[in-house]
C-alpha cells in the first residue's frame, strides 16, 4: 500500500475591520504577491478577449492600424491643398508627425479608459470567485500592449522607409512611452471608484478625451506663442508625448526639466492610484 503524503496546509486568510492603510508594508507585500499569482489568470483573460474580438472580424488586427494611417493621409491631403499650413521640425515631415503623435495619443487614451473598462468586464468574475484584482489590470495592460504594439510595429516600418534618421534616442524613448502609458493608467485608477458607481463617468470620458485631444500637440507642433504655449505646457500629456517624439527624432529632450517633473508625478500617481484601486475594488464588488 502506497503511503499517503501529507497535504500541504491551506493558506490562511484573516479578515479584520482594520484598514490596510495602517500597515502599508503588509499592504504592499500583499499587492506584490497577488500580482505574481495573477499572471496565469491575466494570460487566460488576454487570450480570451483577443480571440473573441477577432473571431468574427475580416480585417482582424488591421483595425488597430487604420486610425493612425487615416490621420496621416488626411493631414497629407490637407497640407497639399493648402488648407493646413503647419511647420514641423525638419527631422519629421508633417504627415509622419501626425501619424506618430496619433499613435502616442491612442496609447494614452486607451490607458486612461483601461482600468474602468477592465473593472466592468471582470465584475461578474469577481462576484463569482475570489481572484486577485491585479489580474484584471494585468489583462488590460496585456490587451493594450498587443493592440498598440501592432501600431508601433507599423510605425517602425514606416520610419525605416521614410527619410527620417533614427539614433540611440529610440531607447530612452521607449521609457518615455511607458511613462505615457502609466500616466493614463494612473488617472484611470482614480476613476474606477466613481465610474463603477456612476455611469456619468463612462458617458463623459469620450467627450473629455476628445477635448483633451485638441489641447495636445498632435495635429500641430507645440506652439511657442503665449498664452497658447502655457496652455499646452499645462497639459500633462504634452511633455511625455513630445518627449517620445524628440528622443526618437533628435536624440534629446527640448524641455528635460518639465519632462522630469511630469515623470516623477506620474510615478507617484501610479503608486497611490494602485493602492486606491486595491482598496476600492472589494468594496465596489460588495455593493
Amino acid at each position: 500500500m502506497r503511503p499517503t503524503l501529507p497535504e500541504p496546509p491551506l493558506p490562511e486568510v484573516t479578515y479584520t475591520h482594520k484598514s490596510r492603510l495602517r500597515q502599508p508594508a503588509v499592504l504592499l507585500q500583499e499587492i506584490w504577491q497577488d500580482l505574481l499569482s495573477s499572471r496565469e489568470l491575466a494570460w487566460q483573460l488576454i487570450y480570451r478577449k483577443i480571440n473573441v474580438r477577432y473571431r468574427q472580424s475580416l480585417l482582424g488586427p488591421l483595425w488597430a492600424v487604420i486610425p493612425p494611417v487615416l490621420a496621416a493621409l488626411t493631414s497629407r491631403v490637407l497640407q497639399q491643398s493648402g488648407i493646413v499650413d503647419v511647420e514641423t521640425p525638419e527631422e519629421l515631415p508633417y504627415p509622419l508627425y501626425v501619424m506618430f503623435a496619433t499613435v502616442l495619443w491612442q496609447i494614452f487614451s486607451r490607458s486612461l479608459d483601461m482600468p474602468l473598462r477592465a473593472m466592468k468586464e471582470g465584475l461578474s468574475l469577481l462576484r463569482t470567485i475570489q481572484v486577485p484584482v491585479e489580474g484584471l489590470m494585468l489583462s488590460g495592460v496585456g490587451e493594450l500592449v498587443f493592440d498598440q504594439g501592432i501600431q508601433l510595429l507599423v510605425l517602425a516600418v514606416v520610419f525605416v522607409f521614410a527619410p527620417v534618421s533614427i539614433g540611440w534616442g529610440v531607447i530612452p524613448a521607449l521609457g518615455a512611452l511607458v511613462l505615457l502609458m502609466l500616466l493614463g493608467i494612473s488617472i484611470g485608477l482614480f476613476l474606477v471608484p466613481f465610474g463603477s458607481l456612476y455611469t456619468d463617468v463612462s458617458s463623459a470620458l469620450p467627450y473629455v478625451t476628445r477635448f483633451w485631444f485638441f489641447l495636445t500637440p498632435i495635429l500641430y507642433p507645440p506652439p511657442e506663442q503665449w498664452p497658447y504655449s502655457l496652455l499646452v505646457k499645462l497639459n500633462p500629456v504634452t511633455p511625455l508625448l513630445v518627449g517620445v517624439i524628440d528622443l526618437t527624432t533628435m536624440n534629446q529632450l527640448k524641455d528635460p526639466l518639465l519632462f522630469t517633473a511630469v515623470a516623477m508625478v506620474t510615478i507617484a500617481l501610479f503608486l497611490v492610484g494602485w493602492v486606491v484601486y486595491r482598496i476600492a475594488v472589494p468594496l465596489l464588488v460588495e455593493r
Side-chain angles (χ1 to χ4, degrees):
M1 182 176 180
R2 182 178 300 179
T4 58
L5 298 177
E7 297 183 357
L10 296 176
E12 297 182 1
V13 180
T14 304
Y15 295 94
T16 176
H17 66 281
K18 298 181 180 179
S19 174
R20 289 297 188 185
L21 294 177
R22 297 183 179 181
Q23 298 176 322
V26 177
L27 177 61
L28 293 178
Q29 184 179 6
E30 290 178 355
I31 293 176
W32 177 250
Q33 291 177 351
D34 288 345
L35 189 64
L36 295 178
S37 62
S38 60
R39 290 176 296 178
E40 183 64 26
L41 171 65
W43 171 252
Q44 295 295 332
L45 291 176
I46 294 171
Y47 177 79
R48 187 186 66 177
K49 290 179 182 179
I50 295 176
N51 187 32
V52 170
R53 189 200 312 171
Y54 295 128
R55 183 181 300 170
Q56 297 179 343
S57 175
L58 294 177
L59 298 180
L62 290 179
W63 284 111
V65 184
I66 292 176
V69 172
L70 288 179
L73 293 177
T74 303
S75 63
R76 178 64 175 174
V77 173
L78 294 177
Q79 186 183 38
Q80 288 184 341
S81 61
I83 299 177
V84 175
D85 185 14
V86 178
E87 293 183 0
T88 54
E90 298 179 357
E91 298 84 2
L92 198 61
Y94 178 65
L96 191 54
Y97 174 87
V98 173
M99 183 178 182
F100 196 178
T102 302
V103 171
L104 297 179
W105 171 258
Q106 287 191 334
I107 291 176
F108 168 76
S109 61
R110 290 206 57 190
S111 300
L112 177 64
D113 178 63
M114 184 269 295
L116 184 57
R117 179 163 41 85
M119 174 62 186
K120 290 183 177 181
E121 293 176 353
L123 191 58
S124 59
L125 179 64
L126 293 174
R127 289 173 176 172
T128 305
I129 59 177
Q130 184 177 4
V131 295
V133 296
E134 285 76 12
L136 302 180
M137 284 295 301
L138 284 180
S139 65
V141 171
E143 186 181 5
L144 177 65
V145 170
F146 177 82
D147 292 335
Q148 304 307 130
I150 297 174
Q151 293 187 356
L152 292 175
L153 181 61
V154 173
L155 188 64
V157 174
V158 173
F159 268 72
V160 170
F161 295 97
V164 179
S165 59
I166 304 298
W168 59 268
V170 70
I171 299 177
L174 294 176
L177 183 64
V178 173
L179 288 173
L180 182 64
M181 184 185 301
L182 285 182
L183 177 62
I185 294 176
S186 303
I187 301 175
L189 288 173
F190 286 98
L191 295 179
V192 168
F194 304 100
S196 300
L197 297 176
Y198 307 102
T199 59
D200 303 282
V201 176
S202 301
S203 302
L205 195 57
Y207 298 99
V208 173
T209 53
R210 194 174 306 167
F211 178 71
W212 203 342
F213 174 86
F214 292 103
L215 292 180
T216 308
I218 299 172
L219 302 177
Y220 54 89
E224 299 180 357
Q225 184 180 3
W226 194 88
Y228 305 105
S229 59
L230 178 62
L231 184 63
V232 173
K233 284 186 177 181
L234 291 177
N235 182 358
V237 180
T238 299
L240 301 180
L241 186 144
V242 175
V244 176
I245 298 177
D246 290 342
L247 288 171
T248 303
T249 57
M250 298 187 301
N251 301 327
Q252 62 180 354
L253 294 170
K254 290 183 179 179
D255 196 344
L257 183 61
L258 183 60
F259 178 89
T260 304
V262 174
M264 295 177 63
V265 172
T266 297
I267 296 175
L269 281 177
F270 177 73
L271 295 177
V272 176
W274 195 286
V275 174
V276 171
Y277 173 81
R278 168 79 180 200
I279 296 176
V281 168
L283 300 177
L284 296 173
V285 173
E286 292 178 0
R287 292 175 64 93

